[in-house]
């Protein structure tokens, strides 16, 4: 039986795999829902309790940043700061630094650069992005970019062979 | 060809890395200046209040952080930091209809208690009336915290860029071993 041109067109359309309009609308809606769900999850994660900023430094540095409102001290957890005095040992500084690195609620560690020099090996071994370690100057020791771990890594990445 | 595309991407990453390094240097200079201002203000406050009046002896035995850090992942492995001040409450908006309804309820209801989670201002550790220099020190260090978050984000971006560049350089060497 000979098919009418319209029927032939509809059959060819069906065979070509072109989806009808209603199915495209449903797919677009599903994609929009997935994007919205992802955004909501991200917002929920950000709205939760944020991370802390820790500080290891001399008396004035720690007092100043605690004035800024970063301090946490309660009976359940260890404090997120350490005041380094003349009789503070390097082991104590290193232990505190490593504790801060292993805590999952600390996002940034502020440390005086002269104290960072004492535990440079521990700083250089830290390769993760969180917590970020930020070296700051002290009253007696101004900031020296040549000693900063991050900048030393960036400076050392270019060799003569790489630039050919 | 894959090699020209890789080279173009490598150039773009290198330019971005150099831009980030320049920005990092600028922000570091500002952070160092803020911290130095803070120390000077603390010294002035100590001069006004007494040598032992501004220091660890005044720290509270219980502290709640006023400042929190929110992290977000912009790309795979790239973390970004944002400082958020806790305890910032937006004023409750009352429309005209709601105000009328509230008046009808009468004064019998006790006011709802304020959020008990509001952290105490660390200035209160040093007394009720503190010198202006101590407030200035607090403002300087608060600005410093904002800059610290930006610098930490930049450092992460620099590390991420460095790793990306190393990966691309390895791929390029595999594609063009003769050029190495």
């Amino acid at each position: 039986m000979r098919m009418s041109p319209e029927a032939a067109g509809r059959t060819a359309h069906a065979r070509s795999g072109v989806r009808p309009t209603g199915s495209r609308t449903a797919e677009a809606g599903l994609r929009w829902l997935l994007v919205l769900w992802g955004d909501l999850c991200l917002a929920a994660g950000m709205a939760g309790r944020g991370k802390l900023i820790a500080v290891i430094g001399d008396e004035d540095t720690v007092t100043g940043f605690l004035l800024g409102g970063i301090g946490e001290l309660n009976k359940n957890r260890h404090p997120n700061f350490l005041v380094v005095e003349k009789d503070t040992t390097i082991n104590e500084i290193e232990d505190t630094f490593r504790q801060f690195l292993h805590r999952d609620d600390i996002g940034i560690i502020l440390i005086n650069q002269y104290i960072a020099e004492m535990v440079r090996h521990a700083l250089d071994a830290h390769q993760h992005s969180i917590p970020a370690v930020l070296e700051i100057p002290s009253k007696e020791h101004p900031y020296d970019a040549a000693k900063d771990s991050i900048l030393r890594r960036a400076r050392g990445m270019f060799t003569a062979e790489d630039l050919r | 060809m894959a090699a020209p595309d890789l080279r173009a991407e490598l150039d773009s990453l290198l330019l971005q890395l150099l831009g980030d390094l320049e920005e990092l240097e600028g922000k570091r200079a500002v952070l160092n200046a803020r911290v130095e201002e803070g120390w000077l203000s603390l010294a002035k406050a100590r001069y006004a209040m007494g040598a032992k009046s501004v220091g660890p002896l005044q720290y509270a035995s219980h502290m709640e952080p006023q400042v929190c850090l929110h992290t977000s992942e912009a790309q795979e492995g790239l973390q970004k930091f944002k400082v958020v001040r806790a305890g910032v409450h937006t004023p409750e908006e009352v429309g005209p209809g709601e105000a009328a309804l509230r008046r009808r309820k009468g004064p019998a209801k006790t006011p709802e208690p304020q959020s008990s989670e509001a952290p105490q201002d660390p200035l209160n550790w040093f007394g009720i009336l503190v010198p202006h220099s101590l407030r200035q020190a607090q403002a300087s260090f608060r600005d410093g915290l904002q800059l610290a978050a930006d610098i930490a984000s930049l450092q992460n971006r620099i590390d991420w860029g460095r790793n990306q560049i190393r990966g691309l350089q390895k791929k390029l060497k595999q594609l063009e071993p003769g050029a190495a």
Side-chain angles (χ1 to χ4, degrees), chain A residues 46 48 50-51 59-60 63-64 66-67 69-71 73 108 129 133-135 137-138 143 148 153 157-158, chain B residues 14 28 32 39 46 56 59 62-67 69-70 79 122 138 141 145 148 151 155-156 162 166:
Chain A
M46 287 186 68
K51 291 189 184 283
E59 184 179 311
D60 273 4
T63 302
L66 289 184
L67 262 180
I70 65 169
L73 179 62
I108 295 177
S129 56
V133 181
L134 206 63
E135 295 178 31
S138 63
Y143 177 74
D148 193 307
R153 279 181 220 163
M157 65 181 289
F158 296 110
Chain B
L14 271 169
R28 270 216 172 271
N32 293 346
W39 289 328
R46 199 171 279 130
Y59 294 174
H62 181 90
M63 296 181 195
E64 291 249 355
Q66 282 193 322
V67 168
L69 204 61
H70 282 172
Q79 299 281 348
Q138 187 182 48
F141 281 103
L145 285 170
I151 289 173
Q155 283 184 174
N156 277 348
R162 195 172 63 94
R166 285 210 181 278

Side-chain angles (χ1 to χ4, degrees), chain B residues 13-27:
Chain B
L13 279 172
L14 271 169
L15 284 172
Q16 189 183 342
L17 181 74
L18 292 171
D20 288 343
L21 283 168
E22 191 178 353
E23 193 180 344
L24 178 70
E25 192 184 359
K27 292 215 172 199

